[in-house]
Amino acid sequence: MRFGHFDDERREYVITRPDTPLPWINYLGSESYFGLISNTAGGYSFYKDARLRRLTRYRYNNSPLDMGGRYLYLRDNQTGKYWSPSWMPTRVKLDEYECRHGMGYTIIQSKLNGIRTSTRTFVPLGQSLELWQLTLTNDSASDSDLSVFSAIEFCLWDANDDATNFQRNYSIGQMEIVDGVIYHKTEYRERRDHFAYFACSEDLVGYDTIREDFLGSYRGWNEPQVVESGKSSNTEAHGWQPIGSHHVNVKLKAGESKQIIFILGYHENPKDDKFDPPDSQTINKRTVMPIIKRFLKSEEADQAFADLRTYWDNLLGKYTVSSPDAHTNRMVNIWNAYQTMITFNMSRSASYFESGIGRGMGFRDSNQDLLGFVHLIPERARERILDLAATQLPSGGAYHQYQPLTKRGNNDVGSGFNDDPHWLVLAVTAYIKETGDWGILNQPVPYDNQPGSETPLFEHLQRCIQYTLDRLGPHGLPLIGRADWNDCLNLNCFSDSPGQSFQTTTNKDGKVAESVFIAGLFVLSAREMAELVKRIESDALGLSKSQTSKVNLTFDLRPSTFYMQAASDMESTIWSHGWDGEWFRRAYDDFRRVLGSKENDEGRIFIEPQGICVMAGLGVDDGRAQKALDSVEMHLATPHGIVLQQPAFSKYYLHLGEISSYPPGYKENAGIFCHTNPWIMIAETRLGRGDRAFDYYTRINPSAREELGELHRCEPYVYSQMIAGKDAPTHGEAKNSWLTGTAAWNYVAITQWILGIRAEYDGLRVDPCIPSAWDGFEATRTFRGRVMRIVVHNPERVCKGVVKMMMDGSVVEGNLVPLDLAAGEHLIEIWLGVKNG
Ligand code: GLC
Ligand code: GLC
């Protein structure tokens, strides 16, 4: 069953009943001010950092679900009846309800008691504020007399402290209310130079800023005393829980409409000009007033909304497809690209499953996010690459996470996740292929953010590879460290007391346990390095000898042959010690025992090495890759996606760590960890098996799962990190939606490998590997400033194999669209078929 439907024309998902299985959310903001908003107006907002600069409060893991948000109440002043136009928090049944989640905005519409409302919420580009445009229409035959109450609860900035340190924070809240604007200025008197404000376009009947006065003690947001009585208390908060509520009176004749605008904003003042007058404790409002005035005008708000639409039109216009499959089209053209962008912005910080107070930006995660995002805003990808590389350590290893506000590596987690550096190689090479910005390799970047330690970015990449070469184990495979991509495979941490960290309580010397996954990843990244260096050697690309010497390499520039050799040595090691006969093994533990092998009773076959090794090219030509992928199909594939391993671990194994802590079927213990599924899709395309690649793509495609709403439960417009595996009682149920590497990797799998359009150093490759049932597809891809209109014909109904390509009407050899095309638009036509001879 469904809870809504897609409106592809408007790029919206339309939710048609408020009681979705879980709150179905959207994100507001794209630069520094962000918000999460659910289909019933739940959620919260923050400036840059969801932990340190949180504007409004949200109660995670609460009952009823989804408490805290951008609430409005309407009250019929004649009858005293009141309700929430977003259903929550009063849950008064509405006659009509609809929520439209769009690109950076959400519109909630409803109707009750003859009053129609529509609230459009979004963050104008370039601003640190959100607008709520509320339109009220009297659809009844008689005049109406309404009270409108707004309500938000301020968070006292540091969300962690706000939720824990009550002995302090019950005493620090401070407000100002001036000309109907509610200013939240907790801690402004001391070290903060920022405040929040909540403004309304109308004259107020009253206001509230004290939670207890507004709700009444022992009452909830579902029945605020002020709303019930229709009388605001007009009191100013001192300590306790500051809130913001405006009370507006609206009289509408039959058929009449009115718009009210609310602004929730964040503002910083210069440190030496915080107060007005200077010797007072009153906020200087001269700098914020013009902003408030501007956005309280509906023409300005409408213009800002139109600008936001244009922004997304431009971004999403960079890669569009029209294929025979509607699910593919809407994910590629709209939702998957959008989710990739959100993931890039948020990393894994703030969702309805990530509280915003946990981890910062992941090194591995952010590098992978970039793979799906780089063609959208390459400038931001560049900045992110340099930030990430600056948290790398001189050893070539990296801090596993860093804080977005300070950009410093996070010491609590530290380093030693031995796969980390290789993702930087993949991100940088993807960036250069997309942009041709070879100059980035010359950019000086420090290690561990230490001034004076800078080397060109290129040397960082050399150190990434060297890091693994310096850490090989007894079989010559890479040592795993704290974990590899699978954070929960902790072979050096024998954790036996509750609460101990599985990743950081390292109590083995780490010189034994090895990862076949990292070995495969190494082959992939060393081959990327070889390709990159080949081009530097050929000297055509601006990083000539003289330039590399200018940039202070402390390493010699290693020849491409070095990287090719390193890759093929590692490949031989995998064949000797990482191949199990029918699939790739997973690891060797601290006792040198194999994992992911026929020898194991549990954890006999894992998905990760099958995906990554075949992506790196292992066994593609000799049948072994096919064997590995057939084993995946036989042992791991389910109708809801491919599980991480089998058989699931039935109990906790001290020597394996967190992976065996989860009950069977969940998370890394044999859940469908969606992030890894696209690796298998890509691997299948390496073998030319487009039917199977696309079948796997469809199994986890959220749009294709829309009908399974009651089982899937999470949003049908974005990927979730996990779907419960076949060992779980809830097989098919999704969890942890939105912030997951699944977004970027599925985007890469479908756009670059199934549709087969991918950036390379020398041009745009068009090499589709599609379902044989397709008669073709069309796509538009902006690449290096040119617009490629790509038409693929598949008259013989094959999966793969380009037999002819035409560019602007002339036949061209091969299937690479070269770089030296004239500016403007080009028509690329491709025919798939069976090659003769
Ligand atoms: C989470 C982490 C990611 C890790 C994965 C598997 O998604 O963010 O870094 O690779 O889990 O453990
Ligand atoms: C936990 C999660 C795992 C995630 C890791 C990140 O172990 O189970 O999915 O990758 O935290 O640190």
Side-chain angles (χ1 to χ4, degrees), residues 467-489:
Y467 179 80
T468 294
L469 295 175
D470 289 343
R471 285 167 185 75
L472 298 177
H475 299 92
L477 292 163
L479 292 171
I480 194 167
R482 290 188 160 149
D484 58 23
W485 171 86
N486 191 328
D487 271 334
C488 300
L489 189 58

Side-chain angles (χ1 to χ4, degrees), residues 92-389:
V92 173
K93 194 172 166 355
L94 300 163
D95 291 341
E96 290 173 23
Y97 160 90
E98 182 182 274
C99 166
R100 290 179 170 264
H101 284 319
M103 304 288 104
Y105 66 88
T106 287
I107 301 170
I108 299 177
Q109 290 166 307
S110 67
K111 187 175 165 183
L112 187 65
N113 301 328
I115 304 299
R116 185 176 290 287
T117 67
S118 163
T119 313
R120 182 165 80 184
T121 309
F122 67 100
V123 176
L125 293 170
Q127 301 296 325
S128 302
L129 56 90
E130 64 187 61
L131 297 178
W132 312 357
Q133 279 180 284
L134 165 69
T135 308
L136 296 161
T137 307
N138 181 357
D139 257 3
S140 74
S142 47
D143 294 356
S144 69
D145 176 4
L146 295 170
S147 279
V148 178
F149 297 89
S150 63
I152 53 158
E153 186 172 2
F154 290 106
C155 179
L156 308 183
W157 302 115
D158 180 333
N160 190 48
D161 211 59
D162 183 74
T164 51
N165 191 7
F166 306 111
Q167 63 78 25
R168 169 177 164 83
N169 64 37
Y170 281 175
S171 295
I172 60 177
Q174 289 195 299
M175 316 291 294
E176 279 177 36
I177 302 102
V178 181
D179 297 335
V181 183
I182 296 169
Y183 295 88
H184 174 228
K185 62 167 188 178
T186 298
E187 292 186 344
Y188 189 73
R189 64 197 307 284
E190 26 127 344
R191 294 157 297 176
R192 293 188 188 274
D193 49 11
H194 45 265
F195 56 88
Y197 58 92
F198 190 33
C200 172
S201 59
E202 305 306 302
D203 291 337
L204 304 187
V205 184
Y207 61 85
D208 275 274
T209 68
I210 299 178
R211 191 179 75 192
E212 196 173 328
D213 286 359
F214 182 69
L215 298 180
S217 35
Y218 298 98
R219 292 168 73 115
W221 293 93
N222 59 323
E223 45 167 13
Q225 176 176 278
V226 160
V227 177
E228 191 176 287
S229 67
K231 254 182 83 58
S232 302
S233 42
N234 303 328
T235 45
E236 183 182 312
H238 297 275
W240 297 109
Q241 299 88 3
I243 64 158
S245 170
H246 307 98
H247 177 184
V248 176
N249 190 219
V250 183
K251 293 199 160 72
L252 293 175
K253 295 206 172 21
E256 209 185 345
S257 285
K258 174 167 187 66
Q259 186 170 107
I260 303 178
I261 297 178
F262 297 93
I263 309 178
L264 173 60
Y266 166 94
H267 192 74
E268 282 173 10
N269 268 336
K271 278 215 182 310
D272 54 4
D273 198 14
K274 280 169 60 167
F275 301 108
D276 183 19
D279 56 0
S280 75
Q281 287 289 301
T282 311
I283 299 174
N284 165 11
K285 304 180 187 70
R286 291 186 312 267
T287 54
V288 75
M289 271 326 291
I291 303 173
I292 297 180
K293 285 215 174 91
R294 176 176 165 198
F295 287 104
L296 287 178
K297 294 194 194 105
S298 50
E299 316 82 73
E300 290 281 353
D302 289 345
Q303 185 56 50
F305 184 72
D307 293 345
L308 183 67
R309 296 282 294 204
T310 309
Y311 170 82
W312 279 105
D313 286 347
N314 288 335
L315 279 183
L316 298 181
K318 295 199 175 177
Y319 191 137
T320 59
V321 64
S322 163
S323 83
D325 182 59
H327 303 300
T328 301
N329 298 344
R330 70 165 62 106
M331 290 313 285
V332 171
N333 298 340
I334 308 169
W335 291 99
N336 194 182
Y338 181 61
Q339 186 183 2
T340 301
M341 172 94 166
I342 302 292
T343 311
F344 177 85
N345 283 331
M346 299 282 131
S347 189
R348 306 295 173 266
S349 69
S351 72
Y352 266 28
F353 300 88
E354 303 272 8
S355 67
I357 57 182
R359 33 186 174 160
M361 315 284 281
F363 189 89
R364 169 203 298 140
D365 294 333
S366 294
N367 276 307
Q368 288 176 82
D369 292 345
L370 218 132
L371 302 176
F373 163 86
V374 59
H375 66 297
L376 291 177
I377 314 183
E379 315 81 77
R380 291 191 57 205
R382 186 180 210 273
E383 185 192 350
R384 180 66 58 82
I385 285 172
L386 298 176
D387 286 348
L388 285 163

Side-chain angles (χ1 to χ4, degrees), residues 359 364 400-401 487-488 503 658 662 667-668 673 721:
R359 33 186 174 160
R364 169 203 298 140
H400 195 48
Q401 293 163 7
D487 271 334
C488 300
Q503 276 91 21
E658 187 172 0
Y662 290 110
K667 297 278 287 184
E668 281 89 341
F673 213 93
Q721 180 204 53

Side-chain angles (χ1 to χ4, degrees), residues 705-737:
R705 296 176 62 76
E706 189 188 16
E707 294 290 350
L708 304 178
E710 275 168 306
L711 173 65
H712 186 81
R713 300 186 87 220
C714 280
E715 296 91 331
Y717 40 92
V718 290
Y719 286 97
S720 296
Q721 180 204 53
M722 189 210 48
I723 297 173
K726 56 187 175 188
D727 303 288
T730 57
H731 184 33
E733 179 190 48
K735 270 188 202 139
N736 307 348
S737 56

